Amino acid sequence: MPSENQRPLWLAAGLLLVSCTLFLTLNANGNWDFVLPLRTAKLASLLLVAYAVGVSTLLFQTLTHNPILTPSILGFDALYVFLQTLLVAVLGGVGYTHLPPLGKFGFELAAMIGGSLLLFQMLLRQGGRDLARMILIGVIFGILFRSLSALLQRLIDPEEFAVAQAYTFASFNSVNRQMLAIAAVILLVSAVFVWRERHRLDVHMLGRDQAINLGLSYTRNTLWLLAWVAVLVATSTALVGPVSFFGLLVAALANYLSPDMKHSVRLPMAFLTAAILLVAGQTVFEHVLGMKAVLSVVVEFAGGLVFLWLVLKKQR
């Protein structure tokens, strides 16, 4: 019999299994040779993004002790949009669309991880004390990248602007299988590391001084966790595009549904919650609404509402 703390996890796992089954089989009409490989690749991308976004947001909120922050505040999404716009401006719309997907994925991944590591150098010089200043610098760089993207979008031709605009929204419909395999390996390695850190994450929640008093190597541990947050967000963004508020929505629901504040419970709950939202949502949009709406737009809208609710709740 599952314990009281494990029942919500088992219920969420069962609901995810039902959602995955419906996604793979609904309206297949017997065309299994064509439908299953196509939908399996989509399902894999949805699950990978769910893990990356959900877990990275939960880690970031634990390190910052703030439930209304997400890793996107460091400017990952803005940097991704700027890179797409810059490539279109330099190569043109035709040249951009002919870029090798694997090379483009590697370039975006390296740029976002490299930028985040440069940002973390400042935290290292401060001995891990000034996390708020690092976040503020990330916000400033995000504003800078958005401004540069807006400037470039006004300078390029309307046709090239349409190409750039199309790649600045998250899309789960067409994912390169080689990119998917690389992302799966990266996220699997991160899952092993993050799960080993689950007990130290519980200590992080007590604050810097208490964590140091309990024998935790706070600075080194914080930097390692931030590095993995950067890897998770960069991989997810390079794979399908930016999803700014989705992590906030997932973390808020996971914290609400989780019966325990321990990360051994909250980490799986964050993944399961994100996966249910993405898989069930994509199933509804594809097989019920006939692709008349975009899942990423609805998710971002719901995440924005949750953000406003959390801010107003905190003020009260």
Side-chain angles (χ1 to χ4, degrees):
M1 292 293 292
S3 65
E4 191 69 28
N5 287 350
Q6 292 177 339
R7 285 177 186 172
L9 291 177
W10 284 107
L11 288 174
L15 187 56
L16 175 60
L17 182 60
V18 171
S19 301
C20 292
T21 304
L22 289 175
F23 180 79
L24 291 174
T25 60
L26 203 62
N27 295 332
N29 299 324
N31 300 317
W32 300 111
D33 292 340
F34 171 74
V35 169
L36 276 183
L38 179 65
R39 293 188 183 179
T40 301
K42 284 186 182 181
L43 179 62
S45 68
L46 291 169
L47 294 177
L48 290 177
V49 172
Y51 165 77
V53 175
V55 171
S56 64
T57 303
L58 192 62
L59 292 178
F60 194 72
Q61 290 183 355
T62 297
L63 295 177
T64 58
H65 304 283
N66 195 321
I68 63 173
L69 292 182
T70 66
S72 62
I73 200 172
L74 297 178
F76 289 102
D77 298 345
L79 177 58
Y80 175 83
V81 173
F82 171 69
L83 290 175
Q84 308 310 307
T85 310
L86 181 63
L87 288 173
V88 171
V90 173
L91 301 175
V94 177
Y96 177 83
T97 54
H98 284 81
L99 283 174
L102 207 57
K104 180 173 171 289
F105 174 76
F107 169 71
E108 292 164 354
L109 196 62
M112 286 185 283
I113 293 177
S116 62
L117 293 179
L118 289 176
L119 185 61
F120 298 156
Q121 284 295 320
M122 187 212 66
L123 186 64
L124 181 62
R125 296 193 193 99
Q126 298 291 332
R129 293 181 178 86
D130 209 347
L131 197 61
R133 183 180 296 180
M134 185 203 71
I135 294 173
L136 180 60
I137 293 176
V139 172
I140 293 171
F141 274 108
I143 295 172
L144 173 64
F145 290 134
R146 288 186 183 92
S147 301
L148 292 175
S149 300
L151 175 63
L152 288 175
Q153 288 171 0
R154 284 173 170 80
L155 294 176
I156 59 179
D157 294 335
E159 293 182 359
E160 295 178 350
F161 171 77
V163 173
Q165 193 74 7
Y167 284 88
T168 55
F169 295 99
S171 174
F172 302 98
N173 295 321
S174 58
V175 180
N176 185 282
R177 292 178 183 269
Q178 290 181 317
M179 291 164 48
L180 200 61
I182 295 173
V185 172
I186 294 173
L187 298 184
L188 182 61
V189 172
S190 75
V192 174
F193 174 83
V194 171
W195 186 248
R196 289 176 57 189
E197 294 294 307
R198 64 191 185 279
H199 300 305
R200 293 189 182 92
L201 286 166
D202 295 337
V203 180
H204 267 280
M205 292 182 65
L206 301 175
R208 182 179 181 275
D209 295 336
Q210 288 83 352
I212 292 175
N213 289 335
L214 290 172
L216 185 68
S217 180
Y218 184 83
T219 301
R220 180 175 63 84
N221 216 252
T222 299
L223 288 170
W224 266 110
L225 289 169
L226 283 173
W228 279 113
V229 168
V231 170
L232 290 173
V233 177
T235 304
S236 169
T237 306
L239 185 64
V240 300
V243 280
S244 304
F245 285 111
F246 179 59
L248 188 65
L249 175 63
V250 168
L253 289 174
N255 289 333
Y256 178 76
L257 297 172
S258 178
D260 199 326
M261 289 302 291
K262 291 182 179 179
H263 283 79
S264 57
V265 177
R266 294 172 70 213
L267 286 171
M269 182 60 76
F271 162 67
L272 291 172
T273 304
I276 291 169
L277 289 175
L278 286 182
V279 176
Q282 190 70 13
T283 303
V284 170
F285 281 108
E286 283 193 15
H287 306 299
V288 178
L289 300 179
M291 298 298 290
K292 293 180 180 179
V294 181
L295 176 63
S296 60
V297 175
V298 178
V299 165
E300 292 295 282
F301 176 72
L305 292 179
V306 171
F307 174 76
L308 292 175
W309 177 75
L310 289 172
V311 171
L312 295 174
K313 179 184 176 183
K314 190 171 182 179
Q315 287 179 350
R316 288 198 302 267

